[in-house]
Amino acid sequence: MLIQVLGTGCAKCKALTANAEAAARAAGVDARVEKVEDLREIMKFKVMSTPALVLDGQVRSTGKVLTVEAIRQLLTP
Amino acid sequence: MSAHARELAASARAVAPPPRGRARLYGALGGALVLWYALYRLIEPGAELVTRRLLRLDPTTHLGSAVAFFLFEVPKVLLLLVLVVFAVGVVRSYFTPERTRAILSGRRESAGNVLAALLGVVTPFCSCSAVPLFLGFVEVGIPLGVTLSFLVSAPMVNEVALVLLFGLFGWKVAALYLATGLLVAVVSGFILGRLGLERWVEPWVYESMAAAAPAEDAPPLPFAERLDQGLTAVREVVGKVWPYVVAGIAVGAGVHGYVPTGLMAGVLGKGAWWSVPLAVVLGVPMYSNAAGIIPVVQALLEKGAALGTVLAFMMAVIGLSAPEAIILRKVLRPPLIATFFGVVAGGILLVGWLFNAVL
């Protein structure tokens, strides 16, 4: 699974990236966490507020730092 | 509902707390408000009791006056901060950036500038989202000036500053801050729009927009989830600013107790016209300390500084920041950023001089 965190590199984006990594470990999912900082790439997802969480190309959350537990629930439906 | 909207709805449900009874929810909310009010009423007698009985200090002495000020202001400001940040967090759950964009798209200038400034106050976004938001606005054809009105009012009319002003100066000053902040945002956005600065936006912005289609708004949230967003806002905002508030009030208390009245009148008083530009120049680099600066400024005001100077300083601290300029540099070319800062700084200067002249 590909987990992407969209954000230009502020504290919230870093927090979401860390939470996503922790959630992937907690869920035991084989996932690659990737940070997307290029604006043109971010705009392709039509996201207006960062940080945003993208799972396998689908935008699942925008503008907030999800908790590890909330991300884990998204990873294991 | 499209597939994308369904995805968002599913993720919102996954993130929301388990469903609770509505009655219980309102009961808890009502109980919390009653508790808040009781605590608020206890501050004044509590501070008095601690100063006189526990610490055996006379409130008419320097030390006693400083300690009483500190013990009264810290709980008062923190309680007000919790209440207002919670309320703003709930209100903001109704205004996503996507909805704000939908409201603004198709608006012309003037009415659009006013609406953008108002929405800037209630739409949630952190300064690192300024660029995606800017791009999202430009994408649907919202005029540059209207977008800039939004980008000015969002940081300038700040809820933490509003609470501190209300708590320390009363509602009149808080209302003046709100009204003039909005005015600066509307007028500076309008002027910038008239200047035809589109050529100073990085060219790739308009190029990449051609192919893009607008994203959809997320589905409505359950009320429990909105309350949860209010609580999250309290945790994030109050959790971050409280040390600045306490430190600022401590410095303010020292000034309150020890600095003689009238000391500041010469430097920051009404008579010194240059104090307003000086306040703006000093304020710009101080971005993150907004919460701590107001109690200090309150003490300065009490000792003879002029209100216009103080408001100009605060607006410069909160509204114009170097980090924001660096972020906006990704989409705007330096002449536009310089003009943006120049016009906003000009607006703040006018507000400062106007207040000093009128009040």
Side-chain angles (χ1 to χ4, degrees):
Chain A
M1 183 181 241
L2 177 62
I3 303 175
Q4 286 163 300
V5 176
L6 315 184
T8 45
C10 64
K12 284 187 174 184
C13 314
K14 287 182 190 124
L16 184 62
T17 309
N19 285 359
E21 280 162 357
R25 275 197 303 274
V29 177
D30 182 27
R32 188 159 62 88
V33 178
E34 184 187 281
K35 215 158 166 307
V36 181
E37 294 189 354
D38 185 74
L39 277 169
R40 288 172 227 215
E41 290 301 313
I42 292 175
M43 289 314 290
K44 284 184 189 158
F45 290 98
K46 306 189 199 312
V47 161
M48 281 217 297
S49 39
T50 56
L53 185 73
V54 178
L55 302 180
D56 282 335
Q58 298 286 333
V59 178
R60 300 301 292 269
S61 152
T62 61
K64 57 186 164 194
V65 179
L66 292 182
T67 60
V68 175
E69 178 54 27
I71 302 171
R72 200 187 58 77
Q73 284 182 21
L74 291 177
L75 290 176
T76 49
Chain B
M1 206 192 256
S2 75
H4 176 66
R6 260 198 305 279
E7 289 268 345
L8 278 173
S11 71
R13 271 197 297 279
V15 174
R20 279 169 285 181
R22 272 220 149 190
R24 261 179 69 191
L25 193 66
Y26 286 119
L29 193 63
L33 282 174
V34 170
L35 179 70
W36 185 93
Y37 186 73
L39 282 174
Y40 194 77
R41 299 297 302 215
L42 278 175
I43 297 169
E44 199 170 0
E48 170 103 9
L49 195 78
V50 172
T51 314
R52 279 180 185 277
R53 297 283 159 79
L54 237 62
L55 301 171
R56 302 194 179 282
L57 290 170
D58 178 359
T60 57
T61 61
H62 287 315
L63 182 63
S65 145
V67 169
F69 178 91
F70 183 78
L71 290 177
F72 176 65
E73 294 296 343
V74 166
K76 185 179 82 172
V77 166
L78 289 180
L79 273 176
L80 283 169
L81 211 52
V82 167
L83 185 71
V84 172
V85 169
F86 175 75
V88 169
V90 174
V91 169
R92 282 186 173 169
S93 72
Y94 291 91
F95 292 89
T96 60
E98 285 78 14
R99 181 168 302 167
T100 294
R101 178 172 70 170
I103 296 171
L104 286 178
S105 72
R107 300 273 167 183
R108 286 160 177 260
E109 283 171 311
S110 63
N113 291 102
V114 176
L115 205 60
L118 289 171
L119 288 166
V121 179
V122 292
T123 306
F125 92 101
C126 81
S127 61
C128 44
S129 279
V131 167
L133 199 102
F134 177 88
L135 294 172
F137 277 22
V138 171
E139 181 181 67
V140 293
I142 296 171
L144 187 61
V146 174
T147 305
L148 291 173
S149 274
F150 180 89
L151 285 179
V152 173
S153 103
M156 186 126 90
V157 184
N158 173 289
E159 76 268 25
V160 174
L162 204 60
V163 168
L164 287 159
L165 286 178
F166 175 78
L168 300 171
F169 299 88
W171 69 268
K172 281 184 191 163
V173 175
L176 273 175
Y177 162 70
L178 179 67
T180 53
L182 288 173
L183 195 70
V184 169
V186 170
V187 173
S188 58
F190 185 77
I191 295 173
L192 289 164
R194 295 281 103 180
L195 293 176
L197 299 163
E198 280 77 2
R199 67 181 183 281
W200 296 118
V201 175
E202 291 289 352
W204 68 266
V205 171
Y206 288 111
E207 283 159 20
S208 65
M209 289 311 130
E216 286 169 78
D217 200 357
L221 288 173
F223 191 62
E225 167 74 356
R226 296 189 191 279
L227 292 184
D228 223 53
Q229 291 200 5
L231 289 177
T232 307
V234 170
R235 262 200 307 277
E236 281 179 4
V237 176
V238 182
K240 198 170 67 184
V241 305
W242 74 264
Y244 295 104
V245 172
V246 173
I249 294 176
V251 174
V255 176
H256 176 85
Y258 290 94
V259 176
T261 307
L263 184 78
M264 293 295 152
V267 190
L268 296 171
K270 282 186 192 185
W273 68 268
W274 46 266
S275 69
V276 177
L278 183 70
V280 172
V281 170
L282 288 178
V284 176
M286 302 183 84
Y287 178 65
S288 60
N289 296 323
I293 232 74
I294 294 167
V296 179
V297 139
Q298 186 224 14
L300 295 178
L301 194 70
E302 198 177 86
K303 304 300 171 188
L307 184 60
T309 307
V310 162
L311 272 182
F313 176 64
M314 217 188 71
M315 286 179 157
V317 168
I318 302 171
L320 291 174
S321 70
E324 194 181 351
I326 294 165
I327 289 165
L328 286 174
R329 176 65 193 90
K330 289 178 181 168
V331 278
L332 307 179
R333 296 168 72 184
L336 179 49
I337 294 182
T339 315
F340 176 67
F341 267 55
V343 171
V344 176
I348 296 173
L349 283 180
L350 285 178
V351 167
W353 281 323
L354 184 76
F355 274 43
N356 283 353
V358 172
L359 292 172

PDB file of all heavy atoms in Angstrom, chain B residues 251-266:
ATOM      1  N   VAL B 251       5.255  39.462  32.788  1.00  0.00           N
ATOM      2  CA  VAL B 251       5.954  40.707  32.454  1.00  0.00           C
ATOM      3  C   VAL B 251       5.002  41.892  32.650  1.00  0.00           C
ATOM      4  O   VAL B 251       5.362  42.909  33.243  1.00  0.00           O
ATOM      5  CB  VAL B 251       6.488  40.676  31.000  1.00  0.00           C
ATOM      6  CG1 VAL B 251       7.087  42.030  30.625  1.00  0.00           C
ATOM      7  CG2 VAL B 251       7.518  39.575  30.837  1.00  0.00           C
ATOM      8  N   GLY B 252       3.756  41.712  32.155  1.00  0.00           N
ATOM      9  CA  GLY B 252       2.749  42.761  32.315  1.00  0.00           C
ATOM     10  C   GLY B 252       2.525  43.106  33.775  1.00  0.00           C
ATOM     11  O   GLY B 252       2.400  44.280  34.148  1.00  0.00           O
ATOM     12  N   ALA B 253       2.502  42.075  34.636  1.00  0.00           N
ATOM     13  CA  ALA B 253       2.289  42.298  36.067  1.00  0.00           C
ATOM     14  C   ALA B 253       3.424  43.116  36.659  1.00  0.00           C
ATOM     15  O   ALA B 253       3.202  44.028  37.455  1.00  0.00           O
ATOM     16  CB  ALA B 253       2.160  40.953  36.789  1.00  0.00           C
ATOM     17  N   GLY B 254       4.655  42.800  36.224  1.00  0.00           N
ATOM     18  CA  GLY B 254       5.814  43.547  36.706  1.00  0.00           C
ATOM     19  C   GLY B 254       5.704  45.020  36.324  1.00  0.00           C
ATOM     20  O   GLY B 254       5.889  45.912  37.151  1.00  0.00           O
ATOM     21  N   VAL B 255       5.360  45.266  35.066  1.00  0.00           N
ATOM     22  CA  VAL B 255       5.211  46.650  34.601  1.00  0.00           C
ATOM     23  C   VAL B 255       4.081  47.331  35.370  1.00  0.00           C
ATOM     24  O   VAL B 255       4.201  48.472  35.809  1.00  0.00           O
ATOM     25  CB  VAL B 255       4.937  46.683  33.076  1.00  0.00           C
ATOM     26  CG1 VAL B 255       4.695  48.110  32.601  1.00  0.00           C
ATOM     27  CG2 VAL B 255       6.090  46.061  32.310  1.00  0.00           C
ATOM     28  N   HIS B 256       2.978  46.574  35.544  1.00  0.00           N
ATOM     29  CA  HIS B 256       1.807  47.096  36.251  1.00  0.00           C
ATOM     30  C   HIS B 256       2.175  47.540  37.667  1.00  0.00           C
ATOM     31  O   HIS B 256       1.762  48.596  38.133  1.00  0.00           O
ATOM     32  CB  HIS B 256       0.738  45.998  36.299  1.00  0.00           C
ATOM     33  CG  HIS B 256      -0.486  46.359  37.067  1.00  0.00           C
ATOM     34  ND1 HIS B 256      -1.533  47.047  36.496  1.00  0.00           N
ATOM     35  CD2 HIS B 256      -0.842  46.128  38.352  1.00  0.00           C
ATOM     36  CE1 HIS B 256      -2.478  47.217  37.411  1.00  0.00           C
ATOM     37  NE2 HIS B 256      -2.087  46.668  38.540  1.00  0.00           N
ATOM     38  N   GLY B 257       2.976  46.730  38.350  1.00  0.00           N
ATOM     39  CA  GLY B 257       3.303  47.029  39.740  1.00  0.00           C
ATOM     40  C   GLY B 257       4.413  48.044  39.913  1.00  0.00           C
ATOM     41  O   GLY B 257       4.406  48.822  40.864  1.00  0.00           O
ATOM     42  N   TYR B 258       5.387  48.046  38.996  1.00  0.00           N
ATOM     43  CA  TYR B 258       6.611  48.791  39.281  1.00  0.00           C
ATOM     44  C   TYR B 258       6.880  50.006  38.401  1.00  0.00           C
ATOM     45  O   TYR B 258       7.580  50.920  38.797  1.00  0.00           O
ATOM     46  CB  TYR B 258       7.819  47.845  39.199  1.00  0.00           C
ATOM     47  CG  TYR B 258       7.844  46.856  40.335  1.00  0.00           C
ATOM     48  CD1 TYR B 258       7.283  45.604  40.198  1.00  0.00           C
ATOM     49  CD2 TYR B 258       8.401  47.205  41.568  1.00  0.00           C
ATOM     50  CE1 TYR B 258       7.275  44.698  41.243  1.00  0.00           C
ATOM     51  CE2 TYR B 258       8.405  46.306  42.623  1.00  0.00           C
ATOM     52  CZ  TYR B 258       7.841  45.052  42.458  1.00  0.00           C
ATOM     53  OH  TYR B 258       7.833  44.175  43.493  1.00  0.00           O
ATOM     54  N   VAL B 259       6.389  49.997  37.138  1.00  0.00           N
ATOM     55  CA  VAL B 259       6.731  51.105  36.248  1.00  0.00           C
ATOM     56  C   VAL B 259       5.804  52.285  36.530  1.00  0.00           C
ATOM     57  O   VAL B 259       4.588  52.126  36.575  1.00  0.00           O
ATOM     58  CB  VAL B 259       6.620  50.670  34.770  1.00  0.00           C
ATOM     59  CG1 VAL B 259       6.875  51.841  33.827  1.00  0.00           C
ATOM     60  CG2 VAL B 259       7.606  49.551  34.484  1.00  0.00           C
ATOM     61  N   PRO B 260       6.367  53.473  36.712  1.00  0.00           N
ATOM     62  CA  PRO B 260       5.507  54.619  37.034  1.00  0.00           C
ATOM     63  C   PRO B 260       4.604  55.014  35.857  1.00  0.00           C
ATOM     64  O   PRO B 260       4.996  54.890  34.694  1.00  0.00           O
ATOM     65  CB  PRO B 260       6.500  55.733  37.350  1.00  0.00           C
ATOM     66  CG  PRO B 260       7.800  55.290  36.820  1.00  0.00           C
ATOM     67  CD  PRO B 260       7.788  53.812  36.760  1.00  0.00           C
ATOM     68  N   THR B 261       3.401  55.466  36.174  1.00  0.00           N
ATOM     69  CA  THR B 261       2.453  55.901  35.158  1.00  0.00           C
ATOM     70  C   THR B 261       3.019  57.086  34.387  1.00  0.00           C
ATOM     71  O   THR B 261       3.646  57.973  34.975  1.00  0.00           O
ATOM     72  CB  THR B 261       1.132  56.318  35.835  1.00  0.00           C
ATOM     73  OG1 THR B 261       0.713  55.248  36.659  1.00  0.00           O
ATOM     74  CG2 THR B 261       0.054  56.604  34.815  1.00  0.00           C
ATOM     75  N   GLY B 262       2.821  57.078  33.059  1.00  0.00           N
ATOM     76  CA  GLY B 262       3.285  58.204  32.263  1.00  0.00           C
ATOM     77  C   GLY B 262       4.662  58.006  31.682  1.00  0.00           C
ATOM     78  O   GLY B 262       5.092  58.773  30.823  1.00  0.00           O
ATOM     79  N   LEU B 263       5.365  56.935  32.082  1.00  0.00           N
ATOM     80  CA  LEU B 263       6.721  56.707  31.600  1.00  0.00           C
ATOM     81  C   LEU B 263       6.756  56.521  30.088  1.00  0.00           C
ATOM     82  O   LEU B 263       7.642  56.986  29.396  1.00  0.00           O
ATOM     83  CB  LEU B 263       7.319  55.468  32.282  1.00  0.00           C
ATOM     84  CG  LEU B 263       8.774  55.184  31.911  1.00  0.00           C
ATOM     85  CD1 LEU B 263       9.711  56.101  32.670  1.00  0.00           C
ATOM     86  CD2 LEU B 263       9.133  53.736  32.156  1.00  0.00           C
ATOM     87  N   MET B 264       5.738  55.807  29.553  1.00  0.00           N
ATOM     88  CA  MET B 264       5.714  55.477  28.136  1.00  0.00           C
ATOM     89  C   MET B 264       5.142  56.603  27.278  1.00  0.00           C
ATOM     90  O   MET B 264       5.216  56.547  26.057  1.00  0.00           O
ATOM     91  CB  MET B 264       4.858  54.222  27.910  1.00  0.00           C
ATOM     92  CG  MET B 264       5.448  52.984  28.507  1.00  0.00           C
ATOM     93  SD  MET B 264       6.987  52.609  27.677  1.00  0.00           S
ATOM     94  CE  MET B 264       7.839  51.758  28.989  1.00  0.00           C
ATOM     95  N   ALA B 265       4.554  57.588  27.916  1.00  0.00           N
ATOM     96  CA  ALA B 265       3.844  58.623  27.157  1.00  0.00           C
ATOM     97  C   ALA B 265       4.751  59.299  26.120  1.00  0.00           C
ATOM     98  O   ALA B 265       4.322  59.582  25.006  1.00  0.00           O
ATOM     99  CB  ALA B 265       3.259  59.655  28.100  1.00  0.00           C
ATOM    100  N   GLY B 266       6.013  59.524  26.483  1.00  0.00           N
ATOM    101  CA  GLY B 266       6.919  60.189  25.568  1.00  0.00           C
ATOM    102  C   GLY B 266       7.288  59.323  24.369  1.00  0.00           C
ATOM    103  O   GLY B 266       7.346  59.801  23.239  1.00  0.00           O
TER     104      GLY B 266
END
